């Protein structure tokens, strides 16, 4: 089965073509998807000057980019698009992210997907954006480590992006339940806001991690201390707004903060990482899972990836640790198409007439 994925939830216009590979055996999921093309047109340079995403600007840019991006994805995948009404190209279904996200951005992708589904007479599969991030883990990786190729359930999945911080228990395909989430800011949002305070610009994650790295190379003893909110709370929820406020007050009190930006960046990043790791490990133990998976833009953070790997190896050596290739951490359409592939196997299609945008869609 070959799936065209489309993603326009925020500030990336993306299209991708994937197909299924592997075989399914009882109790595990060795079926994965192979990416034939993955095109992402990022608007980061446009939004940078405003210090964050401007929804109206994002929607206009999606309108300009969506068809060229889809065309490129089809061409790169070797799909012969005939373009005649009722003559589908060799695409079996369209997977489209229909929420959560910015309503004006989501609408561009959804209306395009509906039009193509009608013109090509093929079914449509709505995808929850967070579920899409999770399915980045089911994209076949260029790795020699076979453990990564086979994901055993149950799994605990941490999704950390600009809009979401969520721990989920995944017992199988189509069986994903939220066990905790942020009560205020998302982890990516915390990176973005912290970065703004430190004068490092947008997006904050890469900017903060670059500064943090430059500091860690020189110093062994860290003086600046920030809180790890809710790290010991008896649940799997998160809160990052207090950390942001703590940074703000620390900077206000410190007349020399501009000379210590790398040190602040290191401590701020470490505070976020400590909370994410602690809660995920706790959840993995409580639910006695076989696999821990990570997903979302914040998983592009190399320190986070490294520290997770080390702790799981030491504390939970029998748990399989899976994380997506870097290119599938931030928003892309390959992960939407991957989620679509598994839904298509379960016949979870929606007639294009019934497809709606839901900017507050829950997992
Ligand atoms: O998943 P994503 O592309 O979009 C949403 O669904 O929100 O995530 C974007 C977020 C931004 O907040 C960005 O600062 C963060 O991911 N991010 C990072 C890194 N790269 C991107 N955060 C920490 N470290 C990074 N290297
Ligand atoms: Zn996302």
């Amino acid at each position: 089965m070959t799936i065209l994925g489309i993603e326009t939830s925020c500030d990336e216009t993306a299209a991708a073509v994937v197909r299924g590979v592997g075989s399914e055996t009882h109790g595990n999921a060795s079926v994965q998807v192979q990416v034939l093309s993955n095109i992402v047109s990022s608007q980061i340079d446009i939004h940078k000057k405003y210090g964050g995403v401007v929804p109206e600007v994002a929607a206009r840019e999606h309108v300009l980019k969506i068809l060229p991006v889809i065309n490129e994805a089809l061409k790169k995948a070797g799909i012969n698009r005939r373009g005649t009404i009722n003559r589908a190209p060799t695409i079996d279904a369209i997977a489209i992210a229909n929420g959560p996200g910015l309503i004006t951005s989501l609408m561009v992708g959804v209306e395009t997907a509906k039009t193509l589904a009608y013109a090509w007479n093929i079914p449509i599969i709505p995808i929850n954006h967070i579920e899409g991030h999770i399915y980045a883990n089911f994209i076949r990786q260029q790795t020699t480590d076979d453990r990564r190729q086979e994901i055993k359930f149950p799994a605990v999945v941490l999704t950390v992006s600009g809009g979401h911080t969520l721990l989920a228990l995944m017992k199988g395909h189509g069986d994903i339940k939220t066990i905790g989430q942020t009560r205020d800011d998302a982890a990516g949002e915390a990176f973005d806001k912290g970065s703004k305070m430190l004068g490092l610009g947008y997006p904050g994650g890469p900017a903060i991690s670059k500064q943090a790295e430059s500091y860690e190379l020189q110093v062994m003893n860290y003086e600046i201390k920030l809180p790890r909110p809710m790290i010991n709370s008896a649940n799997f929820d998160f809160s990052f707004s207090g950390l942001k406020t703590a940074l703000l007050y620390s900077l206000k009190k410190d007349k020399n903060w501009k000379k210590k930006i790398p040190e602040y960046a290191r401590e701020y990043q470490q505070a976020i990482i400590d909370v994410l790791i602690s809660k995920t490990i706790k959840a993995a133990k409580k639910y006695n899972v076989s696999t821990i998976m990570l997903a979302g833009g914040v998983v592009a953070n190399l320190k986070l990836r490294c520290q997770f790997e080390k702790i799981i190896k030491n504390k939970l050596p029998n748990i399989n640790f899976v994380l997506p290739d870097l290119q599938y951490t931030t928003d892309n359409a390959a992960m939407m198409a991957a989620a679509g592939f598994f839904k298509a196997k379960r016949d979870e299609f929606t007639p294009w007439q019934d497809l709606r945008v839901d900017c507050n869609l829950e997992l």
Side-chain angles (χ1 to χ4, degrees):
M1 200 173 343
T2 305
I3 311 275
L4 168 67
I6 299 175
E7 151 65 32
T8 61
S9 306
C10 188
D11 60 340
E12 260 99 28
T13 319
V17 178
V18 310
R19 71 165 169 230
V21 283
S23 67
E24 200 156 21
T25 47
H26 191 67
N28 69 41
S30 61
V31 177
Q32 295 198 322
V33 303
Q34 182 189 4
V35 177
L36 304 180
S37 66
N38 181 39
I39 310 296
V40 182
S41 170
S42 173
Q43 304 174 10
I44 282 180
D45 287 340
I46 297 170
H47 298 287
K48 233 177 197 164
K49 54 180 175 284
Y50 305 109
V53 178
V54 182
E56 177 65 23
V57 175
R60 284 173 191 224
E61 201 57 27
H62 284 311
V63 171
L64 292 175
K65 294 287 159 59
I66 187 76
L67 292 179
V69 164
I70 291 173
N71 271 334
E72 203 181 331
L74 292 173
K75 198 168 150 200
K76 218 166 186 178
I79 305 284
N80 179 20
R81 193 172 68 81
R82 279 169 281 191
T84 320
I85 299 284
N86 288 336
R87 274 215 195 160
T90 41
I91 293 282
D92 298 300
I94 299 175
I96 169 71
N98 68 322
L102 300 171
I103 186 149
T104 42
S105 288
L106 286 162
M107 276 172 67
V108 179
V110 165
E111 292 307 316
T112 306
K114 284 164 88 163
T115 309
L116 291 178
Y118 168 72
W120 295 342
N121 194 23
I122 55 174
I124 224 161
I125 313 156
I127 307 292
N128 180 302
H129 183 85
I130 302 169
E131 192 176 8
H133 273 298
I134 292 171
Y135 271 85
N137 286 291
F138 292 86
I139 293 173
R140 180 183 256 184
Q141 302 194 353
Q142 301 295 326
T143 174
T144 49
D145 181 354
D146 282 342
R147 289 197 328 152
R148 275 216 198 161
Q149 303 285 2
E150 188 179 293
I151 295 172
K152 289 203 173 95
F153 298 120
V156 147
V157 199
L158 172 74
T159 306
V160 269
S161 68
H164 312 279
T165 296
L166 187 139
L167 262 174
L169 179 65
M170 183 173 188
K171 289 189 179 162
H173 292 294
D175 185 357
I176 307 176
K177 295 217 161 44
T178 302
I179 54 172
Q181 53 190 315
T182 184
R183 295 185 178 179
D184 38 60
D185 294 348
E189 197 179 353
F191 270 105
D192 294 337
K193 288 177 176 170
S195 175
K196 209 172 190 175
M197 281 182 229
L198 292 168
L200 300 174
Y202 175 86
I208 287 197
S209 70
K210 198 170 160 203
Q211 289 289 327
E213 197 182 330
S214 72
Y215 185 76
E216 266 172 0
L217 289 176
Q218 317 153 17
V219 186
M220 294 308 286
N221 289 323
Y222 308 120
E223 279 174 14
I224 292 165
K225 292 269 177 278
L226 292 168
R228 271 69 175 154
M230 292 185 74
I231 197 163
N232 294 317
S233 67
N235 53 37
F236 300 115
D237 285 347
F238 302 87
S239 165
F240 292 106
S241 71
L243 173 64
K244 179 186 67 186
T245 312
L247 176 65
L248 180 72
Y249 283 109
S250 297
L251 297 180
K252 271 189 179 168
K253 266 195 258 166
D254 186 350
K255 286 196 182 79
N256 288 322
W257 72 266
K258 283 194 178 156
K259 291 189 186 132
K260 299 184 216 164
I261 291 173
E263 189 177 357
Y264 276 104
R266 192 216 72 90
E267 173 63 4
Y268 192 74
Q269 171 175 275
Q270 196 57 52
I272 297 172
I273 293 177
D274 285 349
V275 179
L276 295 177
I277 290 183
S278 165
K279 294 263 166 167
T280 308
I281 299 284
K282 238 186 256 176
K285 283 183 183 163
K286 175 169 175 188
Y287 291 99
N288 201 15
V289 298
S290 304
T291 306
I292 293 177
M293 283 189 264
L294 306 184
V298 176
V299 178
N301 189 291
L302 296 181
K303 209 82 206 167
L304 175 88
R305 294 168 82 98
C306 247
Q307 292 185 16
F308 252 111
E309 183 126 41
K310 229 186 234 169
I311 286 183
I312 292 169
K313 226 177 222 169
N314 286 339
K315 290 195 171 168
L316 303 165
N318 296 324
I319 289 189
N320 192 12
F321 179 50
V322 180
L323 73 187
D325 274 348
L326 277 180
Q327 60 178 317
Y328 305 123
T329 53
T330 48
D331 286 350
N332 65 86
M335 64 192 192
M336 299 305 162
F341 169 77
F342 286 94
K343 281 187 177 234
K345 273 163 61 84
R346 301 193 302 273
D347 282 334
E348 289 182 19
F349 301 110
T350 296
W352 64 264
Q353 296 92 330
D354 295 344
L355 183 68
R356 296 277 175 274
V357 167
D358 182 351
C359 52
N360 296 315
L361 190 64
E362 292 198 355
L363 194 62

